[in-house]
Amino acid sequence: MIRVGVDVGGTFTDIILERSGAGAERQVVVTKVPSTPHDQSEGVVAGILKVAALAGVEPGAIDAVFHGTTVATNMVIERDGARVGMITTRGFRDILHMARHKRPHNFSLQFDLPWQSRPLVRRRDRLPVTERIMPPTGAIEVPLAEDEVRQAAELFARRGMDAVIVAFLFSFLNNEHEQRAKEIVKSILPDAFVSASSDVVNTIREYERFSSAAMNAYIGPKTSAYLSNLEARLRANGVRAMVRIMQSNGGISTIENSSELPIGLLLSGPAGGVIGGRWTGEHSGKTNVITIDIGGTSADISVIEDGELRIKNPRDTEVAGLPVLVPMIDIDAIGAGGGSIAYVDPGGAFRVGPRSAGAVPGPACYGRGGDAPTVTDAQVVLGRMDPEHFLGGDLKIDASLSEKAIRAHIAEPLDMSVEAAALGILKIINNNMALAINANSVAKGVDPRNFSLMGFGGAGPLHSVSLAEMIFAKDVISPVHPGITAATGLLVTDLQYEYTQSTLMVLNNAGEDEFGRVNAVLEDLVARANRQLDADGIPEKQRIFRQVAECRYVGQGFELRAEVPAGRLSGESAATVIENFYNAHKQVYGHAFRDQLTEMVTLRVIATVAVDTLKLPRLAKGGRGNPAEAEIYRRRTVFDNGEALETPRYRRDALLADDTVAGPALIVQHNSTTIVPPGYVAAVLEYGDMRIERTKG
């Protein structure tokens, strides 16, 4: 079995290949190639061909490709999606404009409302039709005016719309009108991307449901075209493997499902890193981990507590300020990475990021025409990244260009030395990242002192110890392949689908009729999941179903997830759900009102299929201290306190299990460099991961 994981970043595309089989020695090969922002599929295919050549396998021998992509995310951030038309209930065309009448910043006069300033669907393209579904039963009050739907679709055809959504009030109770309108639109616009809100998010709250449907359509045409193009490019290069795509919830899905519901890909890229971080934590004996994935353009932060991923509260699931009601791993992203540009603003302040040099032209040291100083250039000037070991020598860098850029743009304007300016760049970017880590941990009730900080991505291990000092983390973990941890995560996640249905019921005093209604919904959700798994050819014995209820106190505005015991819901299992909700509320808010009624709002069925997980070989036992056999040379390196020391470089692939490396030291490998400052020691664990902590005594 040969499997390949490919994660696309802003600067580099990371690839990992695993070959396993009965009686054969397991082989793991990793590499990186520059990303191709104009068409990510070019870099993806180039990386797969490169890793196959390194592993000595033919492209046609690859069995599966797992892919994490930022195509959908970039489209939203850059507002480069489709032109979307909307057919909605008469009187409700302005839901997308009014939203919830909430100000993002209560006391700011300069705040921006992205749903108004940059709407996904322009008002002139939101057309009302006559129809009405009524709560609480979903009864049809006013029949659908099919002639109005045809007129709207014909107008969209004349306007050349790329995509159309059908979003009617209370369609989560009865989607008959939406489905019929969708049929009519598709008959008139057969080449357009058409979806109904009940197909995308079948839940209560019309603004969030309409917005989610709009988002799905906005990214739909280009995302599906990208996935189709990727598959065709792979086939043209002899790769006939099954292709799976990483989802925002940490599961993987098929190309077909991802093309139909691309909204599930909005955190596709960062999700792989968190999954890989959890897997590395398990190898390292760590279940409480704060992960930070630092690449070329961004830093993605998440918390893993007791080995469990955190899923965002539905009220927080948004992209570019727009709500999207799909499950997402709780990840915070900031504009901080190796390509983040340092500059002096018009007011004379020294700033770093969020603007990035990206892959093209990249940091000044790349010699590709970029002259702005970046975080990578600061690392080069301080002697923390050696030109001959940058990407194993695959990418040539010029340290003189880094010095020139920092001198011209920072040192001279601020009247400081080049080294002081470089240290300033790192201090600013580290402070930005530390604040973001605290926002994702301390502000959510997590004490970093009880957690290990795991830095990965190409730049992660260069910043890990500094960040750990700032947030008072317990220790630091440097994964065995830091630069491709996100790609590694693609090979250790499961096939996963989620199906939802809003089903309002007060659990405390429910009777047999209410339980019967809920169980009918659960059976329907499981049946929908089974139909998808049947289409994927998954044997029944491999299918795993999990039930979740999104609950709240009666009268509360938003919900929290509570586990539902397997099987049919009854009075006994409802009591368990209520207790699970109380516990979730206490964990998030610090208290629980156990004498109050609990209302279930939405049911969710999560269908998973376990896949073969990546297995790394154990290292041979070493037990050496600062092994001379692994040392390459020594070179001047400047550390955070400004002290310059002759610092040894060690080859990471020459270190063995139980070896220790006391700082100051740099541990170099193809995809990253790990800094061990003075006063710290790195211990090599059995699979090659390293634990870095303060020297005792």
Side-chain angles (χ1 to χ4, degrees), residues 145-177:
E146 296 189 6
D147 57 329
E148 295 180 15
V149 176
R150 289 191 183 88
Q151 291 169 13
E154 289 166 356
L155 179 57
F156 288 151
R158 291 195 295 274
R159 291 179 179 177
M161 308 303 285
D162 303 307
V164 177
I165 61 169
V166 181
F168 292 152
L169 212 61
F170 297 112
S171 63
F172 67 91
L173 294 173
N174 180 353
N175 68 356
E176 180 182 330
H177 283 178

Side-chain angles (χ1 to χ4, degrees), residues 466-480:
S466 298
L467 292 173
E469 286 182 342
M470 298 172 82
I471 68 169
F472 301 100
K474 187 176 182 181
D475 53 20
V476 171
I477 299 295
S478 174
V480 61

Side-chain angles (χ1 to χ4, degrees), residues 493-514:
T493 192
D494 297 331
L495 185 69
Q496 182 167 305
Y497 298 105
E498 296 200 19
Y499 296 90
T500 59
Q501 172 71 56
S502 281
T503 310
L504 278 74
M505 182 180 77
V506 178
L507 290 168
N508 305 70
N509 50 23
E512 290 303 317
D513 289 344
E514 288 90 349

Side-chain angles (χ1 to χ4, degrees), residues 336-553:
S340 294
I341 293 173
Y343 62 99
V344 179
D345 72 12
F350 187 177
R351 300 186 182 276
V352 184
R355 192 162 57 93
S356 172
V360 181
C365 61
Y366 285 12
R368 294 175 176 170
D371 63 354
T374 67
V375 173
T376 293
D377 292 306
Q379 302 280 18
V380 170
V381 163
L382 297 174
R384 302 181 182 194
M385 298 178 71
D386 299 338
E388 58 267 50
H389 288 288
F390 192 79
L391 274 188
D394 290 350
L395 181 61
K396 303 299 180 185
I397 60 174
D398 186 341
S400 67
L401 295 176
S402 294
E403 184 176 347
K404 179 181 177 181
I406 293 176
R407 184 184 304 281
H409 293 276
I410 305 296
E412 291 179 352
L414 296 179
D415 192 25
M416 60 173 59
S417 70
V418 171
E419 278 191 4
L423 284 169
I425 291 172
L426 296 188
K427 186 171 184 178
I428 292 170
I429 201 72
N430 285 340
N431 271 281
N432 292 345
M433 290 190 283
L435 288 171
I437 293 171
N438 284 334
N440 196 277
S441 56
V442 177
K444 297 179 180 180
V446 169
D447 187 347
R449 292 174 297 183
N450 300 323
F451 284 71
S452 300
L453 180 70
M454 185 183 298
F456 49 84
L462 289 164
H463 297 265
S464 295
V465 175
S466 298
L467 292 173
E469 286 182 342
M470 298 172 82
I471 68 169
F472 301 100
K474 187 176 182 181
D475 53 20
V476 171
I477 299 295
S478 174
V480 61
H481 299 299
I484 54 92
T485 300
T488 298
L490 297 167
L491 298 187
V492 297
T493 192
D494 297 331
L495 185 69
Q496 182 167 305
Y497 298 105
E498 296 200 19
Y499 296 90
T500 59
Q501 172 71 56
S502 281
T503 310
L504 278 74
M505 182 180 77
V506 178
L507 290 168
N508 305 70
N509 50 23
E512 290 303 317
D513 289 344
E514 288 90 349
F515 286 132
R517 179 167 56 87
V518 169
N519 286 319
V521 172
L522 282 173
E523 289 169 6
D524 177 64
L525 295 177
V526 171
R528 289 169 58 192
N530 274 320
R531 285 195 294 271
Q532 178 63 59
L533 296 173
D534 286 341
D536 293 342
I538 304 297
E540 286 192 20
K541 62 181 181 180
Q542 294 183 19
R543 304 176 188 184
I544 303 168
F545 296 97
R546 180 173 152 230
Q547 300 173 163
V548 173
E550 294 178 357
C551 300
R552 66 187 181 189
Y553 292 113

